[in-house]
């Protein structure tokens, strides 16, 4: 009993730190969610001459389906990008390898384990998916796009992942983006 | 000077620390510059750029909203307006615009042509401005519509940089100033230390004795002063035992070395050292271990005691000589402290007698039963009140046990340490004392004999004078009794013989009195010229009888009213004149008197009696003033005399404080001189002199009572008085005189002193005590053959009025009667010593 009471302050501190980290991650996810459509819009695959009727975007998550759904709804509220309707779906990361449908145009990581980043990166390269992670370090691990937050919030592009795409991003966009050269 | 010990001396240290400070300052400046250039200024710049970016981003949303305008012209116009609004925003701190220029690059989807894709407002060529590229997203579609490049002013940054740089520079300068001040203080401190060290080194060099500083095992010489270098051979610092060569005897070096290996200091160690000039050098070594920053060291100082040792040797020899001399004395010599009475020195006889008692209290060890300083402590007789020595105090002491006599010579002397001590040298004078006592007894016997002789002479004088008075008196009577011619010749022969006999008698008596010290001078004023005149008159007849010319002279400057015993002075003159006349057969005899003032009230008078007589040969000149001395037997036979005259003259002159001598002996004729220093007579004395010179002009008949036990003398006196018209009544003693006086009236009494039953003194006393005032006041004249002064004083004390010595001349008798009977007459002292001259 005594041991429990002694552990309680530690648990409170750990939970508080975890909560703070969660808040920061949450804010990065929200910021990333605002920038993610700009990345999609910068794709040269979308343009006046090539306007698909819709594009599909996945919000992948680890286990918080509700949160992922909330994000998906926020993204869905944009409606369309460059005249192309946006279809947003949430999907657990664990199910992504087994996903056999048409690959999405873009993939937004809303919640992940670090171990899953490589798998998502690989998935994006294999299926020419614009992968986007708001989490720090994921672009360096192979994710195509992310955010860099300093005095400004700028898009963060992995040059190597970008080069694997059959259709790249517009140079105008890359002017303002931070590019990671592996 | 070897300064190895001071390799890190303050001068070098000062330079080192100065260099350190210089490097520190330079390093600080370099570090500050580097920090400024590579850290602080870029950081400021980055912060300024971040600030500019944040500002630009805050304005970018306004521009993004403007981009959504449908019409290109409208969009362009509105973008320009918006950019202008942004460009007017001003930083209140720097009073400069935040943004100098804005350049917007539009997405190709918004531009009708490439020319319209770029919009610019303000100064977009600013090179010092911070540029921030801000993406402009569509709020709705999230597309990237354009990129706005803000040219933010660097005014704020420059102001911030200037402020920081100023503060930074001030801080650096302050630190440099602090370092400089610290360096200055350290420099001053080091300068002080340097000066102090230099002074110490100079002091070491000026030390009057050699000094070395060596390491603890004496293997290395750190330092040696100039005195050491001058006196000793160079000390090889690199030698194995550099100090060894200093010592004449290596054993001394070993002693020193062992002492320091045991870490012992040496206060004083005497040894012989080797000098440059190879002269003997006796040193007193002292060594002290000291701690230096470089390690322990030994200060070796050397004091030259060669002269001191030499002096000690001399002193030791001197002391030995002194001890030999003092110890060989028979006297007991010792020295004591005058305050503590401790014995400081005893010579050998003293030690033999008492044992060595040096250091002990004298009255405890040299005396017995004393509780304090004894009679030998003569301190009060040795020192004056101011502490100076009175000289030698001599006193005699008889040991009550041994009976031996000692004469002690005490004196305060200065002892070797400066204090005043008492030195006593006691000599055994027992033998001397015995002789002295015997001499004293002999002296007493001689004095008794002399007194007896004097008494005998006085008695004999009286006894002879009494009949002589009868003889002379009777002769005088016979001469007046009209004898025949042949009888007159006989009577004259008797008179001359009696006169010579009286003269001889007086001379013997005078000599006796002088030898017995009983000569009494009667000082009184006199007229020198009168005295000369009287003396000449007295011998004039004798000179005329021999056909000699007699004269006297007195220099004009000679004072004439003087004070002396004129009777004795006249006696001297008469003796010399008589001798001169006696020994001169033809020619002249003269008296020359010259005087000079020696002070305001005294004069030196020289009398010279010159004759043209036989003279005095040279060999006799020395003995001429001795008693009973005459030229030779032949002369003595030719010239009558006793030989006492000059002897008496010499003694009288000497008694008067003068001297007498014979001028130019060996020549024909003689000249005797004597010189006296005589006081001048005062006015009162001169007046008395005048009174005394009065004389009797005529004889008044008197009723005379004559008290005389000698029948002949009474007969002589009676007839002499009666010849002058006096009536005379004779009494044979004092008692009868009293009886006669009771029954008759008399004008004067002539009183003999020595009479049976009642003598003249007693009779006088009784007369003076009579009830009848007239009879008790009757003048009384003493008639006596006793011519001693004491007798005269007795007469005065008894109340007598006059004094006449027997034998007397008839005119003297009349003279004293006349003087005594004068009103207010006092005692008339006539010539007592040379009566009947």
């Amino acid at each position: 009993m005594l041991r429990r009471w002694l552990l309680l302050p530690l648990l409170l501190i750990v939970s508080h730190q975890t909560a703070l980290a969660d808040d920061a991650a949450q804010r990065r996810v929200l910021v990333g969610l605002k920038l993610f459509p700009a990345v999609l819009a910068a794709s040269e695959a979308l343009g006046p001459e090539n306007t698909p009727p819709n594009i599909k975007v996945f919000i992948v998550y680890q286990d918080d389906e509700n949160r992922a759904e909330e994000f998906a709804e926020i993204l869905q509220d944009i409606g369309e990008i460059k005249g192309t309707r946006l279809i947003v779906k949430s999907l657990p990361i664990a199910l992504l390898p087994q996903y056999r449908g048409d690959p999405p145009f873009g993939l937004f990581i809303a919640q992940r384990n670090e171990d899953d980043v490589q798998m998502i990166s690989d998935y994006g390269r294999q299926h020419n998916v614009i992968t986007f992670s708001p989490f720090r370090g994921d672009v360096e691990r192979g994710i195509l796009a992310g955010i860099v937050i300093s005095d400004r919030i700028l898009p963060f592009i992995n040059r190597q992942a970008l080069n694997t795409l059959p259709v790249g991003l517009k140079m105008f966009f890359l002017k303002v983006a931070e590019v990671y050269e592996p | 000077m070897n300064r190895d010990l001071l390799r890190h001396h303050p001068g070098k240290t000062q330079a080192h620390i100065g260099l350190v400070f210089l490097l520190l300052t330079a390093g600080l400046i370099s570090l500050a510059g580097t920090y400024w250039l590579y850290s602080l200024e870029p950081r400021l710049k980055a912060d300024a750029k971040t600030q500019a970016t944040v500002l630009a981003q805050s304005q970018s949303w306004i521009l993004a909203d403007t981009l959504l305008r449908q019409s290109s012209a409208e969009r362009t116009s509105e973008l320009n307006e918006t950019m202008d609004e942004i460009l007017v925003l001003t930083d209140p701190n720097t009073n400069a615009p935040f943004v100098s220029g804005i350049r917007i690059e539009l997405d190709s989807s918004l531009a009708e042509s490439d020319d319209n894709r770029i919009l610019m407002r303000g100064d977009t060529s600013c090179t010092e401005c911070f540029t921030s590229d801000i993406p402009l997203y569509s709020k709705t579609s999230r597309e990237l519509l354009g990129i706005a490049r803000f040219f933010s002013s660097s005014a704020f940054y420059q102001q911030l940089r200037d402020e920081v740089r100023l503060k930074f520079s001030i801080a650096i300068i302050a630190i440099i100033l602090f370092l400089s001040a610290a360096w200055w203080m350290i420099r001053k401190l080091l300068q002080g230390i340097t000066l102090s060290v230099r002074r110490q080194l100079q002091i070491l060099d000026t030390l009057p004795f050699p000094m070395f500083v060596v390491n603890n095992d004496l293997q290395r010489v750190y330092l040696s002063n100039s005195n050491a270098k001058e006196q000793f051979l160079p000390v090889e610092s690199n030698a194995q035992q550099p100090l060894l060569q200093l010592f004449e005897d290596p054993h001394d070096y070993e002693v020193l070395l062992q002492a320091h290996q045991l870490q012992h200091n040496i206060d004083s160690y005497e040894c012989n050292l080797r000098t440059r000039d190879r002269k003997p050098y006796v040193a007193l070594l002292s060594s002290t271990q000291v701690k230096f920053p470089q390690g322990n060291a030994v200060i070796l100082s050397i004091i030259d005691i060669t002269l001191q040792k030499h002096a000690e040797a001399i002193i030791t020899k001197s002391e030995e000589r002194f001890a030999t001399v003092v110890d060989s004395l028979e006297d007991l010599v010792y020295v004591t402290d005058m305050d503590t009475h401790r014995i400081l020195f005893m010579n050998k006889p003293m030690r033999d007698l008492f044992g060595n008692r040096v250091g002990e209290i004298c009255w405890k060890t040299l005396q017995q039963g004393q509780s304090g300083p004894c009679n030998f402590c003569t301190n009060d007789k040795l020192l004056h009140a101011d502490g100076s020595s009175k000289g030698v105090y001599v006193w005699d002491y008889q040991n009550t046990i041994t009976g031996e006599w000692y004469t002690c010579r005490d004196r305060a002397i200065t002892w070797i340490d400066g204090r005043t001590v008492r030195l006593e040298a006691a000599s055994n004078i027992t033998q001397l004392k015995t002789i002295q006592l015997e001499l004293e007894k002999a002296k007493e016997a001689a004095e008794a004999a002399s007194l007896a002789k004097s008494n005998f002479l006085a008695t004999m004088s009286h006894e002879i004078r009494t009949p002589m008075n009868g003889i002379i008196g009777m002769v005088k009577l016979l001469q007046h009794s009209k004898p025949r011619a042949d009888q007159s010749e006989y009577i004259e022969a008797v008179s001359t013989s009696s006169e010579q006999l009286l003269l001889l008698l007086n001379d013997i008596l005078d000599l006796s009195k002088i030898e017995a010290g009983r000569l009494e001078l009667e000082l009184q004023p006199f007229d020198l010229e009168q005295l000369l005149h009287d003396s000449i008159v007295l011998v004039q007849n004798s000179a005329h009888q021999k056909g000699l010319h007699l004269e006297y002279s007195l220099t004009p400057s000679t004072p004439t009213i003087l004070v002396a015993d004129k009777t004795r002075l006249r006696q001297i003159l008469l003796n010399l004149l008589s001798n001169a006349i006696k020994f001169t057969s033809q020619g002249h005899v003269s008296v020359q008197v010259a005087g000079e003032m020696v002070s305001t009230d005294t004069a030196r008078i020289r009398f010279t009696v010159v004759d043209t007589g036989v003279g005095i040969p040279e060999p006799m000149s020395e003995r001429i003033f001795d008693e009973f001395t005459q030229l030779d037997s032949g002369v003595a036979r030719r010239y009558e005399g006793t030989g006492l005259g000059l002897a008496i003259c010499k003694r009288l002159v000497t008694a008067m404080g003068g001297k007498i001598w014979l001028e130019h002996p060996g020549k024909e004729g003689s000249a005797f001189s004597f010189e006296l220093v005589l006081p001048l007579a005062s006015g009162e004395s001169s007046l008395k002199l005048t009174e005394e010179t009065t004389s009797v002009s005529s004889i008044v008949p008197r009723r005379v009572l004559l008290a005389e036990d000698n029948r002949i003398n009474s007969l002589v006196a009676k007839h002499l008085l009666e010849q002058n018209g006096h009536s005379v009544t004779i009494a044979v003693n004092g008692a009868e005189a009293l009886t006669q006086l009771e029954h008759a009236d008399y004008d004067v009494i002539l009183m003999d002193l020595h009479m049976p039953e009642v003598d003249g003194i007693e009779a006088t006393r009784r007369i003076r005590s009579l009830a009848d005032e007239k009879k008790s006041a009757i003048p009384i004249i003493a008639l006596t053959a006793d011519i001693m002064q004491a007798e005269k004083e007795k007469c005065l004390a008894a109340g007598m009025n006059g004094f006449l010595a027997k034998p007397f001349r008839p005119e003297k008798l009349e003279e004293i009667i006349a003087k005594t009977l004068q009103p207010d007459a006092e005692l008339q002292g006539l010539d007592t010593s040379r009566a009947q001259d």
Side-chain angles (χ1 to χ4, degrees):
Chain A
M1 188 66 183
L2 180 60
R3 190 175 294 174
R4 287 181 187 175
W5 282 110
L6 289 173
L7 286 174
L8 183 59
L10 183 62
L11 289 172
L12 287 172
I13 291 168
V14 170
S15 61
H16 177 69
Q17 292 295 329
T18 306
L20 289 175
D22 288 348
D23 288 345
Q26 196 70 15
R27 278 193 292 274
R28 285 187 74 94
V29 171
L30 290 172
V31 170
L33 204 59
K34 284 186 176 181
L35 194 61
F36 179 57
V39 176
L40 295 177
S43 173
E44 288 181 337
L46 296 177
E49 296 87 14
N50 185 19
T51 305
N54 54 65
I55 53 175
K56 186 167 61 182
V57 174
F58 282 173
I59 303 293
V60 296
Y61 61 92
Q62 185 69 30
D63 53 6
D64 193 350
E65 184 180 358
N66 293 332
R67 196 71 172 169
E69 284 298 328
E70 288 175 7
F71 294 153
E73 286 177 6
I74 292 169
L75 195 60
Q76 190 63 60
D77 287 345
I78 294 173
E80 57 183 23
I81 296 173
K82 286 190 167 182
T84 301
R85 197 166 68 88
L86 191 63
I87 299 168
V88 183
K89 288 187 177 179
S90 61
L91 182 73
I93 290 173
L95 295 178
L96 187 61
Q98 290 86 30
Y99 180 70
R100 296 295 179 242
D102 293 334
F105 186 77
L107 184 148
F108 184 88
I109 301 172
Q111 186 188 22
R112 53 89 169 128
N113 280 331
E114 287 187 1
D115 297 339
D116 298 331
V117 172
Q118 188 60 45
M119 181 271 290
I120 295 170
S121 171
D122 292 343
Y123 178 82
R125 269 197 293 273
Q126 288 171 9
H127 296 90
N128 299 324
V129 176
I130 297 172
T131 55
F132 189 98
S133 172
F135 299 106
R136 193 188 301 271
D138 284 1
V139 172
E140 290 86 342
R141 291 189 185 97
I143 300 299
L144 176 64
I147 58 174
V148 58
I149 300 174
S150 58
D151 50 355
R152 293 166 292 177
I153 300 170
L154 294 176
F156 192 34
I157 302 300
N158 186 322
R159 172 78 72 186
Q160 191 175 29
L162 179 62
N163 291 337
T164 59
L165 285 178
V167 180
L169 297 178
K170 293 194 314 187
M171 283 306 294
F172 180 70
F173 180 80
L174 290 177
K175 280 184 181 178
V176 78
E178 291 279 334
V179 178
Y180 172 71
E181 303 283 355
Chain B
M1 177 176 284
N2 188 342
R3 297 172 193 276
D4 289 349
L5 186 69
L6 300 170
R7 278 174 302 182
H8 301 288
H9 65 81
K12 283 187 178 178
T13 307
Q14 185 179 344
H16 290 168
I17 294 178
L19 188 61
V20 168
F21 269 88
L22 195 62
L23 292 174
L24 198 62
T25 305
L28 180 68
I29 292 172
S30 301
L31 195 64
T34 304
Y35 177 65
W36 173 260
L37 288 174
Y38 297 102
S39 178
L40 198 56
E41 190 178 29
R43 192 169 167 185
L44 284 173
K45 203 170 185 176
D47 288 347
K49 189 176 180 181
T50 300
Q51 191 180 17
T53 302
V54 171
L55 179 66
Q57 193 157 13
S58 69
Q59 301 299 321
S60 65
W61 298 111
I62 306 169
L63 293 172
D65 289 344
T66 310
L67 289 176
L68 294 178
R69 298 294 179 261
Q70 296 298 321
S71 162
S72 175
E74 189 178 356
R75 185 167 51 240
T76 301
S77 173
E78 197 161 342
L79 275 174
N80 286 334
E81 287 177 6
T82 304
M83 284 192 289
D84 287 340
E85 288 175 2
I86 293 171
L87 288 173
V88 299
L89 294 176
T90 302
D91 186 348
N93 295 317
T94 61
N95 208 22
F98 284 113
V99 180
S100 299
I102 302 173
R103 176 182 178 276
I104 297 175
E105 183 181 0
L106 297 176
D107 184 64
S108 57
S109 61
L110 296 178
E112 294 173 353
S113 64
D114 288 342
D115 296 336
N116 295 330
R117 286 184 64 191
I118 304 299
L119 297 175
M120 290 189 292
R121 301 298 286 183
D123 182 10
T124 55
S125 60
C126 174
T127 55
E128 293 182 352
C129 293
F130 299 114
T131 56
S132 304
D133 290 337
I134 307 297
L136 302 176
Y137 296 104
S138 167
K139 272 189 177 176
T140 54
S141 64
R142 299 293 180 185
E143 292 176 54
L144 179 66
L145 300 178
I147 301 171
R149 173 166 291 178
F150 288 82
F151 292 86
S152 300
S153 169
S154 63
F156 174 74
Y157 158 71
Q158 286 173 356
Q159 186 191 34
L160 186 64
R161 183 189 64 186
D162 291 344
E163 285 180 4
V164 173
R165 187 163 58 191
L166 178 63
K167 290 177 181 176
F168 190 72
S169 299
I170 289 171
I172 294 299
I173 290 169
I175 291 172
I176 290 172
L177 287 175
F178 173 77
L179 288 174
S180 300
W183 158 234
W184 184 82
M185 290 174 69
I186 291 171
R187 185 166 163 271
K188 282 289 175 190
L189 187 65
L190 290 174
Q191 281 177 348
I193 293 170
T194 304
L195 191 62
S196 173
V197 169
R198 282 180 184 161
R199 281 179 186 157
Q200 288 169 10
L201 291 174
Q202 285 175 352
I203 289 169
L204 289 179
D205 277 344
T206 55
L207 284 177
F209 53 84
M211 192 204 74
F212 293 95
V213 179
V214 297
N215 71 339
N216 209 29
D217 54 2
L218 310 184
Q219 297 296 317
R220 182 172 182 182
V221 177
Y222 289 134
L223 191 73
S224 58
N225 68 354
S226 20
N227 207 319
K229 289 189 173 104
E230 288 169 5
Q231 296 195 41
F232 299 105
L233 293 168
V235 176
E236 297 296 335
S237 297
N238 296 326
Q240 188 67 26
Q241 293 173 322
L243 290 178
L244 179 59
Q245 61 178 334
L246 287 178
F247 294 86
E248 291 283 0
D249 185 355
H251 171 71
D252 294 330
Y253 175 77
E254 292 297 327
V255 170
L256 184 67
L257 186 61
Q258 286 176 8
H260 284 286
Q261 283 174 345
L262 296 172
Q263 297 194 338
H264 289 162
N265 289 338
I266 296 177
D267 293 334
S268 60
Y269 181 74
E270 189 178 316
C271 58
N272 293 314
L273 296 184
R274 194 177 296 163
T275 60
R276 279 178 181 271
D277 52 10
R278 299 291 179 183
K279 287 182 179 175
Y281 191 102
V282 185
L284 200 61
L285 271 179
S286 65
S287 63
T288 309
Q289 296 195 2
V290 293
K291 289 185 178 179
F292 282 115
Q294 291 79 17
N296 290 351
V298 176
I299 295 177
L300 193 65
S301 56
I302 298 168
I303 297 173
D304 183 4
I305 58 168
T306 309
L307 289 177
Q308 184 183 334
K309 296 299 287 184
H310 184 60
E312 283 177 5
I314 292 172
I315 290 170
T316 304
K317 282 187 178 177
S318 174
E319 284 181 348
E320 287 172 357
R321 281 198 294 271
F322 169 76
T324 303
V325 172
V326 175
D327 287 346
S328 62
L329 292 174
E330 291 182 357
D331 292 353
L332 303 174
V333 180
Y334 70 103
V335 177
T336 60
D337 186 289
M338 296 182 84
D339 296 326
T340 63
H341 306 288
R342 288 192 184 282
I343 300 169
L344 304 174
F345 172 80
M346 298 172 81
N347 72 341
K348 187 171 183 301
M350 192 76 183
R351 293 195 300 271
D352 292 343
L353 187 62
F354 294 100
N356 191 352
R357 301 290 186 180
V358 172
E360 298 181 24
I361 307 296
C362 58
W363 55 264
K364 287 183 179 175
T365 55
L366 305 184
Q367 301 293 320
Q368 289 181 342
Q370 291 289 334
S371 58
C374 56
N375 292 334
F376 283 82
C377 182
T378 54
N379 292 358
D380 56 336
K381 297 178 177 64
L382 303 182
L383 292 174
H384 291 291
D386 62 356
S388 60
S389 175
K390 286 182 177 178
V392 179
Y393 172 67
V394 183
W395 58 291
D396 292 346
Y397 161 74
Q398 186 178 24
N399 189 303
T400 54
I401 299 171
T402 63
E404 293 193 323
W405 277 92
Y406 293 90
T407 184
C408 301
R409 291 179 177 80
D410 293 1
R411 182 170 197 163
I413 62 169
T414 303
W415 194 236
I416 49 179
D417 57 3
R419 58 180 155 164
T420 303
V421 299
R422 180 172 66 88
L423 165 69
E424 182 171 282
S427 307
N428 191 325
I429 56 163
T430 306
Q431 192 175 1
L432 188 66
K433 200 73 180 179
T434 305
I435 295 171
Q436 183 183 347
L437 291 173
E438 289 173 355
L439 286 174
E440 283 179 0
K441 286 178 183 175
K443 183 187 172 190
E444 287 173 3
E447 285 175 350
S450 177
L451 183 61
K453 185 185 81 173
S454 296
N455 290 335
F456 170 76
L457 286 173
T459 305
M460 286 306 295
S461 171
H462 179 265
E463 295 305 322
I464 293 171
R465 277 171 180 277
T466 301
M468 280 296 295
N469 189 51
I471 294 168
I472 291 171
M474 283 303 176
V475 169
K476 293 294 180 187
L477 288 174
L478 282 173
Q479 284 175 333
H480 287 87
S481 63
K482 298 178 181 175
R484 296 191 307 269
D486 57 337
Q487 288 175 332
S488 291
E489 188 177 349
Y490 302 150
I491 293 168
E492 185 61 30
V494 173
S495 176
T496 303
S497 298
S498 62
E499 292 284 350
Q500 287 178 348
L501 187 59
L502 184 61
L503 194 63
L504 174 62
L505 180 64
N506 284 335
D507 282 349
I508 292 172
L509 196 60
D510 280 346
L511 194 63
S512 172
K513 287 166 70 176
I514 292 167
E515 285 185 343
R518 294 166 65 180
L519 176 68
E520 295 162 355
L521 298 174
E522 290 184 73
L523 300 179
Q524 55 185 317
F526 71 99
D527 185 341
L528 177 61
E529 193 167 5
Q530 182 67 44
L531 185 137
L532 283 171
H533 179 264
D534 292 345
S535 301
I536 291 294
V537 167
L538 286 174
V539 296
Q540 200 166 21
N541 285 337
S542 303
H544 285 169
Q545 286 173 3
K546 295 184 73 173
L548 301 177
H549 179 65
L550 186 62
E551 62 181 10
Y552 75 90
S553 65
L554 185 68
T555 55
S557 61
T558 305
T560 55
I561 308 302
L562 303 165
V563 175
D565 187 334
K566 67 174 184 180
T567 305
R568 294 299 180 184
L569 184 55
R570 184 168 56 197
Q571 182 182 351
I572 297 166
L573 278 172
L574 287 175
N575 268 338
L576 294 177
L577 282 169
S578 299
N579 278 343
I581 292 168
K582 187 192 297 179
F583 292 103
T584 303
S585 56
Q586 59 180 1
H588 71 273
V589 173
S590 65
V591 180
Q592 299 162 4
V593 179
E596 59 176 358
M597 297 296 293
V598 294
S599 68
T600 55
D601 53 0
T602 55
R604 180 182 291 109
I605 311 294
R606 175 178 291 190
F607 302 82
T608 305
V609 178
V610 183
D611 64 58
T612 55
V614 296
I616 298 169
E618 177 75 33
M620 289 296 293
S621 61
E622 293 295 322
R623 299 191 291 115
I624 198 70
F625 294 104
D626 292 346
E627 301 90 343
F628 307 106
T629 299
Q630 286 194 330
L631 296 181
D632 56 41
S633 55
V635 173
R637 280 194 298 274
R638 188 152 35 110
Y639 303 100
E640 295 175 345
T642 59
L644 291 176
L646 287 177
I648 291 170
C649 284
K650 182 176 182 181
R651 282 158 177 74
L652 287 176
V653 170
T654 304
M656 289 176 167
K659 59 181 180 179
I660 185 169
W661 67 95
L662 172 64
E663 304 272 5
H664 49 76
K667 293 182 179 178
E668 192 173 344
S670 61
F672 285 90
S673 294
F674 67 97
E675 197 173 78
L676 299 170
V677 175
L678 302 175
L680 303 183
S682 62
E684 188 180 344
S685 301
S686 301
L687 181 62
K688 190 175 178 183
L689 172 69
T690 306
E691 290 171 353
E692 283 186 354
T693 55
T694 56
S695 60
V696 178
S697 56
S698 60
I699 299 172
V700 178
R702 302 289 186 184
R703 292 168 294 176
V704 179
L705 175 58
L706 175 61
E708 172 64 74
D709 61 331
N710 186 288
R711 191 179 61 82
I712 295 171
N713 284 339
S714 65
L715 187 61
V716 169
K718 183 174 183 293
H719 285 289
L720 288 175
L721 290 168
E722 286 175 347
Q723 279 181 355
N724 289 331
H726 303 296
S727 60
V728 180
T729 304
I730 296 175
V732 296
N733 56 42
E736 191 176 325
L738 279 167
T739 305
Q740 295 287 351
L741 184 60
E742 286 175 4
H743 292 92
D745 291 331
Y746 297 96
D747 295 320
V748 65
I749 298 175
L750 300 179
M751 185 77 78
D752 184 24
L753 296 185
H754 300 285
M755 293 183 294
E757 297 184 26
V758 176
D759 62 16
I761 299 295
E762 180 59 27
T764 301
R765 288 199 191 100
R766 292 184 185 181
I767 290 168
R768 295 300 182 219
S769 62
L770 290 174
D772 187 337
E773 290 183 359
K774 186 179 177 184
K775 292 183 185 296
S776 67
I778 187 170
I780 302 173
I781 298 169
L783 289 177
T784 179
D786 191 342
I787 58 171
M788 305 303 282
Q789 181 68 17
E791 204 67 20
K792 186 176 178 181
E793 289 172 359
K794 278 184 184 176
C795 296
L796 288 171
M800 292 187 177
N801 303 92
F803 187 93
L804 185 61
K806 291 188 283 192
F808 51 80
R809 295 172 188 273
E811 59 272 21
K812 287 289 180 184
L813 182 60
E814 282 304 326
E815 183 183 334
I816 194 167
I817 290 171
K819 286 183 180 177
T820 306
L821 293 178
Q822 281 180 356
D824 303 326
E826 294 178 357
L827 177 66
Q828 299 301 313
L830 297 182
D831 187 354
T832 57
S833 61
R834 302 293 294 178
Q836 206 63 29
D837 281 350

